[in-house]
Amino acid sequence: MLKPHNVYHSNTSSTKTLFPVQNIKPFFHGSGYAFLPLPSFQSSSFSKSSACSRKAFKTGFAPPSKVIRAAIAKDVYGGNVEAATSTLKALVTVRQTVGGFLTNLGLARGLDDIQDLLGKSILLELVSADLDPKTGLEKETIKDYAHRVKQEGDDVIYEAEFKVGANFGEIGAVLVENEHHKEMFLEEITIDGLDDGPLNIKCYSWVHSKFDNPQKRIFFTNKSFLPSQTPGGLKRLRKEELEALRGDGQGERKTFERIYDYDVYNDIGDPDSDLSKKRPVLGGSKEFPYPRRCRTGRPRCDSDPQSEKKSNIFYVPRDEAFSEVKQLTFSAKTLYSVFHAVVPSLQTAIVDSDLGFPYFTAIDQLFNEGIDLPPQENQGFFRSLLPRLIKAISDSDNALRFETPDTMERDKFFWFRDEEFARQTLAGINPYTIQLVTEWPLKSKLDPDVYGPPESAITKEMIECEIKGYMTFDEALKQKKLFVLDYHDLLLPYVKKVRELEGTTLYGSRTIFFLNPDETLRPLAIELTRPPMDGKPQWKEVYQHSWHASGVWLWRLAKAHVLAHDSGVHQLISHWLRTHACTEPYIIATNRQLSAVHPIYRLLHPHFRYTMEINALAREYLISADGIIETSFSPGKYSMELSSVAYGLQWQFDKQALPADLISRGMAVEDPNAPHGLKLTIEDYPFANDGLVLWDIIKQWVSDYVNHYYPNASLVQSDEELQAWWTEIRTVAHGDKKDEPGWPKLETPEDLIHIITVITWVASGHHAAVNFGQYAYGGYFPNRPTIARRNMPTEEASEKDWEFFMNKPEVLLLLCFPSQIQATTVMAILDVLSNHSPDEEYLGEKPEAAWDVNPEIRAAFERFNGRLKEFEGIIDGRNADRKLKNRNGAGVMPYEFLKPFSEPGVTGRGVPYSISI
């Protein structure tokens, strides 16, 4: 228990006398006990280490040291023990921010003026964790105003002083009231003068002005409690804080608020500015199911009452914002600047939006010479913010000159090679879609009356011709040697719609691979399909390797289409949907249903930092109508609609677990004798090999943590906050999936461990695997074009089209690739998305304050950290192993996306706790 050194209750006017020493009986409440220590007696004989066990208390034998202290207190104060007081000092650290509290205060004012203004800017109230033993009611809080004492760098320190009585008990929370008209960012509160040493409360939170909201902010201490174990003095606060965070679901949210509520994706379109920007509502319907986002309460559009109006200010709960607190180089701040400065500058510099690259050397110039940008108002700021992109040519000019991706540095022709195309399905940035072929022939599940014959045009004979000398087709199928990228059924329903858009085209596609004896994949065939449309029947064609020039170029063109499909699926499904969009409702549910003192809240909190704001930025600029995704990726204006369809068809909570994902794709089978309990279908599968190690490390940490707080199933079942949290995730947060399979029960510690491991894996390992390599593999866009702009020349081409292909196949490939504005815009975005901030928070690197105060949790975290460091060595060893050809070879990129730690910058490694970019 945290106890003041002296004995006094500031709110008690009457004088009370202790019973004689021999009649003293200890006071019990919760997990601790109260006694009356004195500051002048600090010898070891009075230390807390001499306290007897709880059992001794229950049998009536008080600890000798505590009895002595009480006797001395009576003797010193003449029996008026209540008059004995302890002076506690609280130091409050407030961060100066770009636009917050201190800046608006005006530090340039005269010293007296500032001192007067700051003298009563922060009101603190100490809250006892204990109830009054006589009345059974909460004890009165002890208050004081904090005054400014010094400044340390960007931090301003305030000090408050409290006179605390011994019967105040343990400090359970601090209430904070911001007396000024502007918000402030509160970093921490440290209380000195306690018997157990300083009490440090990490806040890292915005505190609203009392003129905006009179409700005081509550900051609990670092101790964690299940609801049933909450000290009596904190029960009301615990409940009221959750109620405040939920809000009432009414009105437009204000920027200073901390309210977490749900809404559908009805803010992607902007029909009031242009009816062509109207987009369907995602979520809340069978046609377009989707995870929920944070409710903003903005008014509805005039032209479409189902859609929400656009605004220059987007709401996220205040503590989810980072832009004014994080360093200026923080990636999201940079991303915002790319949207507002780089992209408009590119649009000015490249007038013709359809202009492609005339030859491949023109693409190389992006890295050597760059693109001259128009003058900026603040060029120095512009260049310092984007040092990797904006290079100074002269004092008056800016050039957008891209860093050469590591892949290009290693092998300039990496993107051209088929073996690299295949390798990236296992070790690239989208290792989540390749799957085992289990049935033949490949067959569509779409309605044949609408989409044409369902059977694939890829035949046994085609496959057997390619693998002759290794085995027969039937042997390959039986021995699990055939794999497929299957985007046929997902994309085919959108082919007609997309082709009606300008400057793009689309096919349904299937790509077949064969597993070589050395565990590398060999692409065998690509099938492109167009459904019946415009009075024409279904068209499909299979492209294979050829020793003839025309066949070679047709293969390259077909591969460009497949890569565009893979880029769209990666960005919209593997990346945005499965990590960003599906995690946001977990964050909302956690803040609505789990108190800040709940141990599971504190376990999950680092995995949720800044995700909601980065998602809001994405809704504003990336996935919005005519945003970067729509204008630069193959599905065009149907991109988010396609993401919704994928959510409805593919997403299940249980399959977000890495082992279950691998099994569902036929990439692994359960095997209790194999490492991690799984036998991989492709042994050299870098993402799976590293991912399973990281999955097990995370699961072990979660197991240690959960088992500490939930030693038996009854505690899980009786935890009303936890049960409400899981119910809300299933029925509201992912409400469109509530009646579908895949939701585990929450009845045992093992159930909870699995659920938490899934959520934390998605936010850390899954996101890192699909995000931080984007510039390495997409920075040279011919390797991963985001859009295909020309049909295959074999699809009903005129003689003129065919003649053009025969004479200029390279030009046709360049015309199929993204335009200059599309390519450079995406490259700039990918560079920022792949970047680690200097203050990145990596998985298992540093413990949370709440973990540190519990010795068992601290020890478990240290084991977690040790396993992660050992894992780094495992990855280095694998990348050095010449037998592992999917991660080692001439010009081959090592696989480091799941390597836990990283230095700042675009490094291609590092696993942050959360989806913060």
Side-chain angles (χ1 to χ4, degrees):
M1 178 181 292
L2 298 165
K3 301 165 283 290
H5 282 314
N6 282 342
V7 185
Y8 178 71
H9 196 287
S10 61
N11 298 306
T12 305
S13 58
S14 60
T15 301
K16 298 184 180 180
T17 305
L18 286 177
F19 292 108
V21 173
Q22 64 268 25
N23 293 327
I24 289 178
K25 293 183 180 180
F27 162 64
F28 300 96
H29 180 77
S31 60
Y33 44 82
F35 59 88
L36 311 174
L38 291 175
S40 57
F41 295 91
Q42 295 295 320
S43 70
S44 60
S45 62
F46 301 132
S47 70
K48 63 181 179 178
S49 62
S50 63
C52 69
S53 68
R54 182 182 300 272
K55 180 178 179 182
F57 269 88
K58 290 182 178 179
T59 55
F61 296 96
S65 63
K66 304 303 188 272
V67 174
I68 292 170
R69 289 184 175 198
I72 294 172
K74 181 187 177 196
D75 181 63
V76 171
Y77 295 107
N80 185 8
V81 180
E82 291 295 326
T85 63
S86 174
T87 299
L88 304 183
K89 287 188 177 180
L91 296 178
V92 182
T93 304
V94 175
R95 170 69 61 87
Q96 290 191 88
T97 62
V98 175
F101 170 68
L102 291 170
T103 302
N104 286 282
L105 218 55
L107 290 177
R109 295 181 180 183
L111 183 61
D112 293 339
D113 188 14
I114 294 175
Q115 202 67 9
D116 291 341
L117 207 53
L118 295 180
K120 289 191 175 182
S121 292
I122 307 172
L123 176 64
L124 302 181
E125 298 183 42
L126 303 185
V127 179
S128 174
D130 301 329
L131 295 174
D132 189 307
K134 295 183 178 178
T135 66
L137 302 176
E138 294 176 13
K139 297 179 181 180
E140 291 188 50
T141 61
I142 302 175
K143 306 177 184 180
D144 190 39
Y145 284 98
H147 61 279
R148 176 177 173 170
V149 292
K150 60 181 175 179
Q151 181 166 347
E152 297 177 348
D154 292 332
D155 294 334
V156 178
I157 312 301
Y158 298 82
E159 184 178 275
E161 190 171 283
F162 304 94
K163 299 295 184 181
V164 183
N167 62 354
F168 184 73
E170 183 174 5
I171 298 172
V174 178
L175 301 183
V176 178
E177 183 175 81
N178 176 11
E179 302 292 311
H180 200 260
H181 287 81
K182 299 294 182 182
E183 66 181 358
M184 63 181 179
F185 187 77
L186 185 57
E187 287 192 324
E188 63 182 5
I189 301 170
T190 301
I191 301 174
D192 284 320
L194 297 167
D195 187 59
D196 291 339
L199 170 63
N200 183 264
I201 302 174
K202 299 293 185 182
C203 304
Y204 296 117
S205 178
W206 294 97
V207 179
H208 56 261
S209 163
K210 75 172 185 179
F211 300 102
D212 288 328
N213 180 359
Q215 189 174 31
K216 298 180 177 71
R217 282 296 310 278
I218 303 166
F219 292 101
F220 295 100
T221 63
N222 296 329
K223 285 190 176 180
S224 300
F225 303 100
L226 300 181
S228 61
Q229 300 166 349
T230 309
L234 303 180
K235 286 184 177 179
R236 177 183 59 84
L237 290 180
R238 180 171 186 152
K239 181 180 178 182
E240 289 181 357
E241 175 76 345
L242 282 174
E243 289 173 350
L245 290 170
R246 291 174 193 142
D248 59 7
Q250 303 297 314
E252 184 171 0
R253 297 273 66 87
K254 300 176 179 64
T255 55
F256 64 83
E257 291 179 325
R258 300 168 55 244
I259 294 175
Y260 295 79
D261 201 0
Y262 300 99
D263 208 343
V264 294
Y265 277 71
N266 59 358
D267 64 340
I268 297 171
D270 188 13
D272 281 355
S273 68
D274 187 340
L275 280 176
S276 69
K277 293 185 180 181
K278 179 180 177 180
R279 297 293 181 268
V281 174
L282 305 183
S285 69
K286 290 185 178 180
E287 184 181 10
F288 295 120
Y290 218 60
R292 297 299 186 263
R293 65 167 177 92
C294 182
R295 179 185 177 275
T296 65
R298 292 184 294 197
R300 298 303 177 93
C301 292
D302 299 325
S303 56
D304 178 20
Q306 289 189 315
S307 298
E308 196 172 77
K309 279 184 179 290
K310 286 289 183 182
S311 171
N312 292 329
I313 300 174
F314 53 82
Y315 169 80
V316 294
R318 194 64 183 102
D319 284 345
E320 304 299 331
F322 48 56
S323 56
E324 293 185 272
V325 180
K326 294 292 235 177
Q327 296 182 24
L328 191 59
T329 51
F330 185 66
S331 300
K333 189 77 175 178
T334 310
L335 183 60
Y336 183 86
S337 301
V338 169
F339 293 140
H340 281 269
V342 176
V343 173
S345 296
L346 282 170
Q347 293 169 343
T348 302
I350 304 172
V351 179
D352 185 354
S353 61
D354 292 325
L355 183 65
F357 290 88
Y359 30 78
F360 278 94
T361 52
I363 301 174
D364 294 340
Q365 289 175 5
L366 295 174
F367 308 102
N368 302 324
E369 301 174 15
I371 300 172
D372 291 342
L373 299 180
Q376 306 296 317
E377 291 183 8
N378 188 342
Q379 296 183 33
F381 171 79
F382 195 53
R383 286 198 290 265
S384 65
L385 192 63
L386 303 166
R388 279 178 51 86
L389 298 180
I390 309 303
K391 313 292 182 181
I393 295 178
S394 68
D395 292 338
S396 59
D397 296 328
N398 288 306
L400 183 71
R401 193 174 74 207
F402 293 93
E403 292 284 335
T404 304
D406 287 346
T407 44
M408 283 286 286
E409 290 280 11
R410 289 171 176 271
D411 181 357
K412 186 175 181 180
F413 300 103
F414 82 106
W415 67 277
F416 209 57
R417 296 186 287 107
D418 289 337
E419 55 271 28
E420 178 65 13
F421 165 53
R423 190 190 72 85
Q424 287 181 32
T425 66
L426 302 173
I429 57 173
N430 190 27
Y432 268 100
T433 54
I434 189 163
Q435 56 187 311
L436 179 69
V437 175
T438 56
E439 296 179 353
W440 199 267
L442 299 176
K443 205 178 249 191
S444 170
K445 296 179 181 178
L446 299 173
D447 185 349
D449 292 336
V450 177
Y451 299 103
E455 294 82 6
S456 170
I458 303 174
T459 65
K460 267 188 184 183
E461 291 72 25
M462 291 177 180
I463 301 299
E464 202 151 55
C465 183
E466 292 290 330
I467 64 174
K468 190 178 295 182
Y470 287 100
M471 60 185 67
T472 66
F473 172 86
D474 291 334
E475 289 171 336
L477 187 65
K478 184 178 180 180
Q479 294 179 28
K480 299 183 178 180
K481 300 294 184 182
L482 298 178
F483 298 84
V484 62
L485 286 181
D486 192 347
Y487 302 136
H488 182 278
D489 285 13
L490 181 65
L491 298 180
L492 202 63
Y494 284 90
V495 169
K496 186 178 188 302
K497 295 178 182 179
V498 169
R499 288 191 175 201
E500 291 170 351
L501 305 175
E502 290 186 12
T504 186
T505 190
L506 191 64
Y507 294 98
S509 69
R510 297 184 181 101
T511 306
I512 298 290
F513 300 87
F514 174 71
L515 184 63
N516 294 315
D518 63 359
E519 292 288 304
T520 60
L521 287 175
R522 187 198 317 178
L524 303 181
I526 293 173
E527 177 188 34
L528 300 179
T529 304
R530 182 204 67 201
M533 53 183 287
D534 302 328
K536 300 175 183 177
Q538 181 195 73
W539 175 90
K540 64 178 66 170
E541 189 160 337
V542 178
Y543 302 90
Q544 293 184 269
H545 292 280
S546 174
W547 298 104
H548 181 263
S550 298
V552 168
W553 277 105
L554 287 172
W555 169 259
R556 289 169 182 163
L557 284 164
K559 194 166 69 169
H561 281 274
V562 170
L563 288 168
H565 301 165
D566 192 67
S567 293
V569 169
H570 161 257
Q571 204 64 265
L572 291 166
I573 301 170
S574 302
H575 184 194
W576 165 258
L577 171 66
R578 292 182 63 178
T579 66
H580 288 262
C582 286
T583 296
E584 179 156 340
Y586 302 147
I587 302 171
I588 300 171
T590 300
N591 282 277
R592 286 169 56 85
Q593 299 298 341
L594 297 182
S595 166
V597 296
H598 198 293
I600 299 305
Y601 175 92
R602 284 175 160 162
L603 175 59
L604 288 171
H605 183 253
H607 293 282
F608 293 159
R609 288 187 183 121
Y610 315 125
T611 301
M612 291 181 73
E613 181 158 346
I614 204 69
N615 285 3
L617 274 170
R619 293 203 312 274
E620 197 77 8
Y621 303 106
L622 281 174
I623 62 174
S624 57
D626 283 352
I628 290 170
I629 296 294
E630 285 196 2
T631 56
S632 302
F633 283 74
S634 277
K637 65 181 287 187
Y638 303 102
S639 292
M640 285 301 290
E641 193 176 310
L642 183 73
S643 178
S644 167
V645 170
Y647 176 71
L649 291 173
Q650 301 174 4
W651 191 88
Q652 284 186 196
F653 180 86
D654 59 345
K655 290 184 180 178
Q656 306 316 298
L658 178 59
D661 169 77
L662 294 170
I663 291 169
S664 70
R665 293 187 283 121
M667 302 303 291
V669 294
E670 291 184 4
D671 182 351
N673 298 317
H676 320 292
L678 292 182
K679 178 175 175 54
L680 294 177
T681 311
I682 299 176
E683 293 181 10
D684 184 11
Y685 186 178
F687 162 70
N689 284 309
D690 292 359
L692 287 171
V693 177
L694 184 57
W695 169 271
D696 280 356
I697 290 172
I698 294 172
K699 186 175 182 180
Q700 185 59 62
W701 154 242
V702 173
S703 298
D704 290 345
Y705 189 99
V706 167
N707 286 328
H708 174 75
Y709 289 101
Y710 296 93
N712 57 66
S714 63
L715 287 171
V716 173
Q717 295 161 14
S718 63
D719 187 332
E720 63 268 22
E721 285 185 10
L722 190 68
Q723 293 297 330
W725 168 77
W726 184 235
T727 298
E728 185 164 292
I729 284 176
R730 291 183 292 110
T731 62
V732 183
H734 283 274
D736 296 341
K737 289 281 188 175
K738 64 183 178 181
D739 298 321
E740 296 190 14
W743 295 109
K745 294 180 180 180
L746 181 52
E747 297 177 346
T748 67
E750 290 72 25
D751 296 337
L752 181 58
I753 289 166
H754 177 69
I755 290 167
I756 299 296
T757 305
V758 170
I759 292 173
T760 54
W761 160 259
V762 168
S764 56
H766 181 153
H767 181 257
V770 299
N771 183 74
F772 293 105
Q774 289 191 85
Y775 191 74
Y777 284 108
Y780 187 76
F781 70 86
N783 182 61
R784 290 188 66 78
T786 57
I787 194 169
R789 300 190 297 150
R790 293 288 188 277
N791 290 343
M792 292 295 295
T794 50
E795 185 198 337
E796 302 168 359
S798 66
E799 287 189 17
K800 185 177 180 181
D801 292 335
W802 184 255
E803 183 179 354
F804 181 80
F805 164 66
M806 295 296 285
N807 292 328
K808 297 285 186 180
E810 178 185 341
V811 174
L812 184 59
L813 180 60
L814 287 164
L815 289 172
C816 187
F817 282 158
S819 67
Q820 291 190 30
I821 185 66
Q822 289 169 332
T824 52
T825 298
V826 170
M827 288 166 68
I829 296 297
L830 295 185
D831 183 89
V832 177
L833 294 181
S834 302
N835 190 65
H836 284 298
S837 162
D839 44 10
E840 189 77 88
E841 295 163 335
Y842 295 101
L843 183 70
E845 187 176 35
K846 296 178 182 177
E848 295 288 289
W851 305 345
D852 245 352
V853 300
N854 186 309
E856 287 191 36
I857 299 301
R858 172 70 190 187
F861 179 83
E862 289 175 351
R863 293 193 297 271
F864 180 41
N865 174 268
R867 293 186 192 103
L868 290 169
K869 290 177 178 177
E870 183 182 357
F871 178 42
E872 290 214 317
I874 291 172
I875 290 176
D876 289 339
R878 287 173 172 175
N879 287 328
D881 189 342
R882 293 184 181 181
K883 296 191 297 293
L884 302 178
K885 292 182 169 52
N886 290 319
R887 60 196 308 160
N888 181 294
V892 170
M893 280 278 289
Y895 190 78
E896 296 185 319
F897 297 152
L898 294 176
K899 201 169 185 180
F901 311 116
S902 173
E903 63 273 16
V906 180
T907 64
R909 58 182 175 273
V911 181
Y913 274 109
S914 64
I915 304 163
S916 59
I917 189 63

